[in-house]
Amino acid sequence: CGSADKFARAAGFDSDQLAYVIYTSGSTGQPKGVEIPHGAAVNFLTSMRREPGLTRVDKLLAVTTLSFDISLLEIFLPLISGAEVVVAGREDARDGRRLARLLDEHQITVMQATPATWRMLFESGWEGRNGLRILCGGEAMPRDLANLLANSADEVWNLYGPTETTVWSTCAKVEEGEGAVSIGKPIANTTVFILDEAGKILPAGFVGELCIGGDSLARGYRGQPELTAERFAEIELPEIGSRRVYRTGDLARWQKDGTLECLGRIDFQTKLRGVRMELGEIEHVLRENEAIADAVVAKRDDLPGGDALVAYLVANGDETPDLGEIKAAVAERLP
């Protein structure tokens, strides 16, 4: 990435040097520290500056906690673009009416949030805003929400990407319509391959594992070389040669128009309110409790309060475990 190297030299550091480490869930109960180098971060930011785009006339409303990697865009993209950033407080970000008021008071032109946050805005009575560019990612965008957003702002962009490839790896401008919402095409200096179980490239229309290569790849998992070698694989591609890619664990396919459709997880990872987690990690922590013989965790979408995780427990003995104590113990181990 020429732009990343130029920025790195100007700042006096090497693009391969570590920019940050962010932790994600692990199926063994041990979180994984993803190491992102400066070159990957700069490649991501410079690509986002071009598309979906940010300029010095924009005002971006930042609503994301620093523990979520999409905050990288909200903090640094305005800085490299000369744009203004308005930082929403913790309570503002959780309240649809307060968020709507901030959008109007500050004449916000760009806001990035998860589908859950956009739904919260609509449920609070928000009716959209002229001049607003919406960035939406962190979990799948349902078609009904896509159509609502498309009729509530000037532009809507659907963004996709795992932490291991630096925030967002693909983007698509969303229009009102029917059917699944595409995750679009790769951002700058990023390549997407759809591979079968043998690591062979699949043609358009065939479902396989979505693998990502290019300048936005993480260095790997901090202190976990075996896991790094497993997930960041070297693959041999015909007429291309050896390429390092991240195996996302997501199923996807190329569509006839050259865009990508994501079809869900291969394994048991799931996303809830934009946060990616391993259900196995939660089960592992629950089983360590002496009162529990076994546990299964599932994501439910039929609950009165909306999507949530539910744990089903088998007691270790005849007595019913104290659920309050179990919740407190789990809270000490899990985010």
Side-chain angles (χ1 to χ4, degrees):
C1 172
S3 59
D5 289 336
K6 183 176 73 172
F7 271 89
R9 288 194 298 271
F13 59 77
D14 189 288
S15 62
D16 292 330
Q17 288 181 319
L18 189 63
Y20 65 88
V21 177
I22 189 162
Y23 284 83
T24 68
S25 292
S27 57
T28 63
Q30 182 67 35
K32 303 171 291 187
V34 182
E35 297 184 328
I36 303 295
H38 283 283
V42 171
N43 183 71
F44 162 70
L45 291 168
T46 53
S47 180
M48 290 291 105
R49 183 170 61 181
R50 291 190 295 272
E51 189 178 69
L54 199 72
T55 70
R56 65 183 60 190
V57 301
D58 282 311
K59 290 185 178 182
L60 184 147
L61 180 60
V63 301
T64 307
T65 171
L66 290 174
S67 61
F68 195 177
D69 67 341
I70 72 174
S71 63
L72 181 73
L73 181 148
E74 297 178 357
I75 298 167
F76 293 105
L77 189 57
L79 288 176
I80 71 167
S81 306
E84 180 179 340
V85 59
V86 176
V87 180
R90 186 187 184 99
E91 295 306 316
D92 292 328
R94 294 178 173 182
D95 188 311
R97 285 186 287 271
R98 292 171 68 159
L99 266 186
R101 187 163 57 247
L102 285 177
L103 285 166
D104 289 337
E105 285 180 359
H106 294 279
Q107 300 291 295
I108 297 299
T109 64
V110 180
M111 179 173 140
Q112 170 189 253
T114 64
T117 298
W118 289 114
R119 282 202 188 277
M120 179 183 70
L121 263 170
F122 285 118
E123 290 169 359
S124 73
W126 185 67
E127 296 181 350
R129 173 174 171 74
N130 290 331
L132 179 64
R133 184 182 306 117
I134 287 174
L135 311 183
C136 185
E139 56 194 23
M141 180 189 286
R143 171 49 68 182
D144 68 316
L145 177 62
N147 290 344
L148 267 175
L149 293 171
N151 285 288
S152 305
D154 284 11
E155 289 184 11
V156 179
W157 291 81
N158 189 28
L159 306 167
Y160 164 87
T163 297
E164 289 84 350
T165 60
T166 314
V167 191
W168 307 130
S169 300
T170 72
C171 64
K173 192 173 182 180
V174 177
E175 306 289 349
E176 186 178 10
E178 298 179 354
V181 181
S182 170
I183 60 171
K185 298 179 179 181
I187 69 169
N189 303 306
T190 299
T191 308
V192 168
F193 304 99
I194 306 298
L195 305 180
D196 65 14
E197 293 181 355
K200 306 295 184 182
I201 295 179
L202 290 169
F206 285 76
V207 176
E209 184 175 12
L210 194 159
C211 299
I212 301 172
D215 291 347
S216 290
L217 283 181
R219 297 198 319 200
Y221 297 113
R222 192 168 187 83
Q224 299 189 62
E226 292 182 0
L227 184 60
T228 297
E230 176 188 341
R231 302 306 302 175
F232 293 86
E234 290 284 343
I235 60 172
E236 289 291 333
L237 302 169
E239 301 179 4
I240 297 176
S242 179
R243 288 289 185 275
R244 182 174 183 259
V245 300
Y246 172 67
R247 298 173 53 197
T248 67
D250 284 333
L251 292 170
R253 62 184 169 198
W254 289 106
Q255 302 183 103
K256 292 180 180 179
D257 63 359
T259 62
L260 288 158
E261 180 184 6
C262 190
L263 301 166
R265 295 293 303 171
I266 294 174
D267 54 23
F268 292 106
Q269 273 193 349
T270 190
K271 277 195 173 183
L272 182 67
R273 292 187 285 278
V275 179
R276 178 159 63 104
M277 61 196 78
E278 292 263 12
L279 299 183
E281 176 185 10
I282 304 169
E283 293 170 353
H284 177 84
V285 172
L286 284 166
R287 292 189 191 110
E288 289 188 336
N289 191 302
E290 293 181 354
I292 297 172
D294 202 359
V296 173
V297 178
K299 181 180 176 181
R300 294 273 300 272
D301 58 7
D302 58 347
L303 303 174
D307 292 0
L309 298 183
V310 177
Y312 299 88
L313 310 177
V314 177
N316 190 10
D318 296 331
E319 294 186 9
T320 301
D322 187 311
L323 296 183
E325 291 181 1
I326 291 172
K327 288 181 179 179
V330 169
E332 292 180 356
R333 293 283 307 279
L334 297 173

